[in-house]
Amino acid sequence: TNAILAADAVVKSFGPTKALDGASMSVRPGEVVAVMGPSGSGKSTLLHCLAGIIKPDRGRVIYDGRDLGAMPDVPRSALRRTEFGFVFQFGQLVPELTCVENVALPLRLGGRKRRDAEAKAREWLTRLEVDDVAPKRPGEVSGGQGQRVAVARALVTAPKVIFADEPTGALDSLNGEHVMRLLTEAAKESGAAVILVTHEARVAAYSDREVVVRDGRTREVAFA
Ligand code: ADP
Ligand code: ADP
């Protein structure tokens, strides 16, 4: 296949709890896949395995031809920083930094000069329609604005895969749909794959394909 990232028969236990029991899914460049399922079904664990944050007990996670589970910690962390982007339910912006500094941060950590990084960050804030919040701190912006800043921060490094874990979970439906539209449009434009964990059908509606997780197992859902 031409998947950029795939989980193959992944098993993961936490003590006696089998969080994943043979979970498989894949995503292609430019594709948005929604991962759905009830609370406790294993969605977060699957996301963390795909992102190389936790190692499967059995099965494999393949990113761009490389087995993430077999990769040593240092190159695996480096890969995560440079090729993956993350958006969480609560933006998790650094409260002491302005919004433009937050978006520039991944570039600064990668060694880019301040002026250069912040110019790029401003482009992304504009793209996400929140250029006006650039000088403000996260505590001074609305929830919807904060999430758009978080999306800009996830996209600024031009990642190959974006992991979005309930990215609209803390927003009302209007703001949620706005964030989803901007996130999916920007991802499509840059050719990034998106793995979107959600339990809301109206959020999953922005995906190309759905995978349902139940009791640690995955099932593909074909659209009618
Ligand atoms: P979901 O994201 O679908 O709510 P999770 O992947 O968070 O599901 O959890 C799947 C199961 O694994 C649940 O029973 C959860 O309590 C358990 N679990 C997840 N992470 C841990 C952990 N670090 N330690 C112990 N149990 C965990
Ligand atoms: P989400 O809301 O995204 O599904 P959770 O709140 O279930 O995430 O989990 C948040 C973090 O806590 C994750 O890193 C997960 O692995 C961990 N976790 C989840 N369930 C448990 C548990 N029963 N015991 C310990 N850690 C857990």
Side-chain angles (χ1 to χ4, degrees):
T1 69
N2 49 357
I4 180 80
L5 181 63
D8 179 26
V10 169
V11 176
K12 179 71 193 179
S13 296
F14 297 103
T17 306
K18 211 167 212 181
L20 294 177
D21 187 15
S24 302
M25 66 170 284
S26 66
V27 62
R28 290 187 289 272
E31 189 182 36
V32 181
V33 176
V35 177
M36 304 197 68
S39 184
S41 59
K43 301 183 299 295
S44 293
T45 305
L46 178 56
L47 191 82
H48 294 156
C49 285
L50 285 164
I53 294 165
I54 58 179
K55 287 192 188 194
D57 299 333
R58 284 164 52 200
R60 295 190 311 165
V61 174
I62 305 293
Y63 169 71
D64 202 15
R66 286 168 282 181
D67 185 342
L68 280 193
M71 201 182 278
D73 287 348
V74 171
R76 194 156 43 88
S77 306
L79 185 150
R80 198 158 59 231
R81 210 166 44 241
T82 55
E83 306 199 22
F84 295 169
F86 296 88
V87 184
F88 303 99
Q89 179 168 359
F90 301 101
Q92 301 189 345
L93 301 169
V94 181
E96 295 82 7
L97 299 180
T98 64
C99 287
V100 71
E101 286 168 346
N102 264 280
V103 177
L105 190 58
L107 297 175
R108 298 281 288 140
L109 294 173
R112 294 271 287 270
K113 295 236 189 312
R114 182 189 193 96
R115 185 201 298 258
D116 189 28
E118 293 193 0
K120 195 87 205 152
R122 273 173 201 280
E123 283 174 28
W124 277 102
L125 287 174
T126 302
R127 180 75 188 74
L128 274 296
E129 301 172 5
V130 280
D131 41 313
D132 51 318
V133 305
K136 296 188 177 178
R137 290 181 210 284
E140 303 168 312
V141 308
S142 74
Q145 287 170 331
Q147 274 309 73
R148 281 183 275 156
V149 173
V151 170
R153 185 182 54 180
L155 285 158
V156 76
T157 55
K160 298 280 201 331
V161 185
I162 296 159
F163 296 89
D165 193 355
E166 300 280 4
T168 63
L171 305 178
D172 62 44
S173 59
L174 203 65
N175 272 305
E177 303 226 0
H178 194 192
V179 166
M180 283 312 303
R181 185 169 56 72
L182 293 169
L183 168 61
T184 51
E185 281 175 7
K188 293 275 176 205
E189 254 171 50
S190 64
V194 179
I195 296 177
L196 167 69
V197 172
T198 183
H199 60 265
E200 294 177 84
R202 64 175 182 79
V203 174
Y206 286 85
S207 71
D208 300 309
R209 198 153 59 76
E210 293 179 14
V211 171
V212 174
V213 186
R214 217 172 272 277
D215 299 328
R217 290 189 202 86
T218 44
R219 184 162 56 80
E220 287 271 345
V221 177
F223 285 123

